[in-house]
Amino acid sequence: MAKVRITGVNSGIKPVIETLFDLKMLHLVDFEKGHAGVLDFGKPLADADEYSDLIVKAGSVVSHYHLKGEAVQVGNFSSAKHKFLLLFSDFSSAATELASLNETRKALLDRLLEPMARLSVPQKFLREFSHLSVFKGIAKKSARLPLNSAGIPFEGTERKAGNDFAMVLFVAKRDAQATREVLSGIGFSEQDLPENFSESSLRNELVSTERRIAEKQAIIESIGKNNSGFLLDFAFSVKRLNEIAETPLRFGSTKNAFVATGWVLQEKADALKARLGRFEGRVSVEFSGSKAGAPIALDNPKVVRPFEFFLDLYTFPRYGEIDPSIIVFITFPLFFGFMLGDVGYGVVSLALFAFLAKKMKGKAKTLPLILMWASIASIIFGFVFAEFFGWEFMHPLIPRAHEPTLMLGIAVLVGAIHLNLGLLIGFYNELQSHGFRHAFFAKISWIVLQAGVALLALDGTGIMKVGFVPGMVLVLAAVAMLYLGEGAKGIVELPAIFSNMLSYARLFAVGLSSVSIALVVNKIAGSLVPMGPVGWVGVVVVLFIGHTLNLGLGILGPGLHSLRLHYVEFFSKFFHGGGKKFSPFGAED
């Protein structure tokens, strides 16, 4: 990794940025303004505001249609922008009208629920006449009986609406006051009615409104259906153009010049300088040998790269630390397969994750790819254990369902190997950063401790008579080494190495639970066979549901436990992390 500083004149900044964007070689370091420096933050390019506006518009359209998928840069941006703005004008116009129509529809529906709307009284009859008074409103009771009892002649209509009565009443002017007093006794409330309040007119207006809503929706759906690919590409393109336009904000700048700093892979430093050489006289490129603050670029074979996902979740290695991706590529599937060692489950999960990997794009397919390798390991261990959906289909090389002690021993042995591999990697990392003495005392001491405890155990159990002294000497030596390497903290953590080792017993325990569930499912299904045809239907149902649930648990449990063994037990022996991922300017995330 080489540190680079690019200096140029502001008048030529745009083509320089575009070149850097296309090269995708430079990991830009954002400018930080110092207290005494002469540099200030750069200013965005002139077209940044336009791109920001287009991002908002394109984003709103893409979000409305829930468009997803891979996008590419549009060929002719000017032409694409013209097309997009026409589409956006149609879209926003239709969307605005649609919103207004939806409000109108809601208001009409609300008015249809009003009691007065249910009275079909023509509007022309709701005015004051020379000899008649009109009472229109809501009362708690019917007005007919009270008015008749009071001897007040009237005409009109009323209708029960929920707990109330809606009514329109016509009485002679001379009886208006008496009518008002009678209606007051039944809780009458006068209503101001808008024009066309009758149910029939409201429903006619509602039909018209819904027809217009359907028209606007058809326009909006048509825009999305016929232009989804273009809209995705345009949104992608304008986002990247905006990134270019705002890049000067990441540079240091004076009135006339700019300074950009960053990192480039050592093998690409000459190519970067050569490409920027075409701006001769306007741009200067300088490299530095400093590695302080260098980002981390992992360099793994293609087949291993999906397993870098686990470092993305955890943390990236520091500069100089060993990248554990290739080890995880081997051990994660092995642990997973050891726990879910069944040919049937392995084949089904392999088919499932192969299907998902084919359907998914970009980073989304990373996890299915990882689990495809894990499924292959399940199939291989399935042959070792001779298991097919819980049934033993041949004599197993390792009968895990019948030899729990053996399986437990294998799991702990695997843990011991895995942990000591981590300690050896840790030795290398410490050697690079703190020298041999610290690396030896901090990491090799744990291996010496294990050797001492192993000798004591062999002697104590009578498996091998080696004597008490050699084992105790190694243990004491390991304690002294650990104190010199890690201090008192190392002494406190002495038992941790053995608890870490025992943690690998989960490789056996999780696997045993999976095969036990499979055996129970098979036994229940087998008990239904004597019931005849109905029983056979039950057999199919029990096998399908039981093994589907067990497979789901079988994928989840081994996946999480395998990940835990790596993060907690393995990584803690050598991995500090905290590195910054190398992210070239212009490359997609």
Side-chain angles (χ1 to χ4, degrees):
M1 197 70 71
K3 191 170 186 177
V4 59
R5 184 170 73 171
I6 302 168
T7 309
V9 293
N10 281 333
S11 58
I13 191 172
K14 184 175 181 180
V16 172
I17 293 175
E18 289 174 342
T19 300
L20 293 173
F21 190 88
D22 292 339
L23 287 175
K24 300 175 178 51
M25 292 181 182
L26 180 67
H27 175 100
L28 267 177
V29 175
D30 292 343
F31 169 72
E32 293 183 5
K33 190 175 180 181
H35 294 293
V38 296
L39 295 175
D40 203 342
F41 292 101
K43 296 180 180 178
L45 300 181
D47 40 16
D49 288 342
E50 179 190 4
Y51 293 139
S52 296
D53 180 58
L54 287 173
I55 281 180
V56 174
K57 290 176 177 174
S60 66
V61 178
V62 169
S63 174
H64 175 84
Y65 293 115
H66 305 289
L67 299 178
K68 294 180 180 177
E70 288 189 273
V72 297
Q73 192 86 21
V74 295
N76 185 330
F77 183 76
S78 178
S79 172
K81 184 179 76 172
H82 179 69
K83 178 180 177 180
F84 170 76
L85 290 177
L86 289 176
L87 288 174
F88 184 77
S89 175
D90 293 342
F91 170 82
S92 59
S93 173
T96 302
E97 289 186 52
L98 182 61
S100 175
L101 289 168
N102 279 326
E103 288 293 324
T104 301
R105 178 172 63 177
K106 182 176 182 303
L108 289 170
L109 290 172
D110 289 343
R111 287 172 62 186
L112 277 169
L113 295 176
E114 293 177 2
M116 295 302 293
R118 302 184 183 182
L119 299 176
S120 298
V121 179
Q123 190 74 27
K124 62 183 180 180
F125 294 130
L126 297 178
R127 61 185 175 82
E128 286 291 322
F129 295 90
S130 58
H131 300 291
L132 292 174
S133 291
V134 181
F135 293 87
K136 48 187 183 297
I138 307 295
K140 298 295 182 184
K141 298 179 181 177
S142 169
R144 292 186 181 281
L145 185 59
L147 288 174
N148 288 333
S149 299
I152 301 174
F154 70 95
E155 293 293 338
T157 182
E158 66 177 21
R159 187 170 181 178
K160 196 169 190 318
N163 295 325
D164 298 323
F165 283 81
M167 58 189 67
V168 175
L169 304 173
F170 302 92
V171 299
K173 285 278 188 183
R174 63 176 181 276
D175 296 326
Q177 182 58 34
T179 302
R180 192 170 291 109
E181 292 173 0
V182 169
L183 293 180
S184 175
I186 59 172
F188 180 78
S189 173
E190 187 80 24
Q191 300 287 306
D192 292 327
L193 302 179
E195 292 186 0
N196 300 324
F197 78 98
S198 68
E199 185 174 12
S200 59
S201 61
L202 289 175
R203 291 202 179 280
N204 289 338
E205 189 176 350
L206 182 62
V207 169
S208 172
T209 302
E210 290 184 334
R211 185 176 63 249
R212 293 173 63 196
I213 286 174
E215 291 172 357
K216 300 305 173 188
Q217 285 177 331
I219 292 173
I220 292 174
E221 288 173 8
S222 172
I223 292 173
K225 183 178 180 181
N226 298 326
N227 302 280
S228 58
F230 167 76
L231 291 171
L232 267 178
D233 291 346
F234 183 79
F236 172 78
S237 302
V238 76
K239 181 181 175 185
R240 294 175 76 75
L241 287 171
N242 185 65
E243 184 181 355
I244 292 174
E246 293 189 344
T247 297
L249 291 169
R250 307 177 66 183
F251 293 177
S253 178
T254 64
K255 183 178 179 181
N256 298 311
F258 70 87
V259 177
T261 59
W263 298 88
V264 63
L265 295 175
Q266 190 68 54
E267 60 269 25
K268 294 187 176 179
D270 291 340
L272 176 70
K273 189 170 185 176
R275 286 294 300 272
L276 294 179
R278 66 176 182 166
F279 303 109
E280 187 176 359
R282 289 175 291 164
V283 173
S284 167
V285 181
E286 301 171 75
F287 292 102
S288 163
S290 171
K291 303 298 181 190
I296 306 301
L298 302 182
D299 185 18
N300 288 304
K302 186 177 179 180
V303 71
V304 176
R305 285 176 201 158
F307 289 82
E308 294 174 2
F309 169 74
F310 291 135
L311 298 188
D312 275 333
L313 286 180
Y314 192 72
T315 178
F316 251 55
R318 294 178 183 175
Y319 202 84
E321 270 191 328
I322 286 182
D323 167 21
S325 299
I326 196 164
I327 299 171
V328 178
F329 163 69
I330 297 170
T331 51
F332 180 87
L334 280 179
F335 292 174
F336 184 98
F338 191 83
M339 288 182 270
L340 189 66
D342 187 291
V343 175
Y345 290 152
V347 169
V348 173
S349 61
L350 178 61
L352 172 65
F353 293 121
F355 172 77
L356 293 176
K358 186 176 180 181
K359 288 292 180 183
M360 293 180 174
K361 304 292 183 186
K363 285 189 173 182
K365 66 190 300 181
T366 299
L367 194 55
L369 287 173
I370 291 173
L371 291 172
M372 282 177 65
W373 284 106
S375 300
I376 292 172
S378 292
I379 295 172
I380 294 171
F381 276 102
F383 281 105
V384 173
F385 301 144
E387 291 176 15
F388 184 86
F389 291 109
W391 278 294
E392 285 188 358
F393 61 89
M394 66 179 189
H395 184 71
L397 295 175
I398 302 177
R400 69 166 171 173
H402 314 294
E403 295 285 354
T405 305
L406 174 63
M407 290 298 297
L408 180 61
I410 293 174
V412 175
L413 178 62
V414 168
I417 295 171
H418 200 222
L419 290 176
N420 283 295
L421 176 62
L423 289 169
L424 291 175
I425 297 173
F427 172 78
Y428 175 84
N429 285 342
E430 295 296 330
L431 184 66
Q432 297 299 310
S433 56
H434 296 100
F436 177 81
R437 181 182 182 280
H438 179 79
F440 182 76
F441 288 141
K443 298 299 176 185
I444 301 303
S445 55
W446 292 105
I447 298 175
V448 174
L449 176 68
Q450 293 172 65
V453 172
L455 287 179
L456 290 175
L458 289 172
D459 187 69
T461 56
I463 297 175
M464 184 185 294
K465 284 295 179 186
V466 293
F468 177 77
V469 175
M472 185 51 68
V473 168
L474 286 178
V475 169
L476 293 175
V479 171
M481 292 166 63
L482 197 57
Y483 181 77
L484 291 172
E486 299 278 2
K489 176 187 170 187
I491 305 299
V492 172
E493 293 182 353
L494 266 175
I497 187 73
F498 301 105
S499 65
N500 290 156
M501 213 172 289
L502 290 174
S503 186
Y504 285 78
R506 70 188 66 226
L507 292 174
F508 152 70
V510 174
L512 186 62
S513 67
S514 176
V515 72
S516 298
I517 293 174
L519 289 172
V520 170
V521 170
N522 294 340
K523 190 173 182 179
I524 294 174
S527 67
L528 299 176
V529 172
M531 296 173 65
V534 175
W536 278 105
V537 174
V539 168
V540 173
V541 172
V542 168
L543 289 178
F544 178 78
I545 295 177
H547 285 302
T548 299
L549 291 175
N550 195 28
L551 177 60
L553 293 172
I555 293 172
L556 185 64
L560 292 176
H561 284 292
S562 183
L563 198 58
R564 184 198 185 282
L565 289 174
H566 284 85
Y567 281 166
V568 178
E569 269 72 34
F570 184 55
F571 281 8
S572 64
K573 299 297 171 286
F574 66 94
F575 195 58
H576 295 290
K580 186 174 179 61
K581 186 177 182 179
F582 180 71
S583 179
F585 175 58
E588 295 177 43
D589 293 333

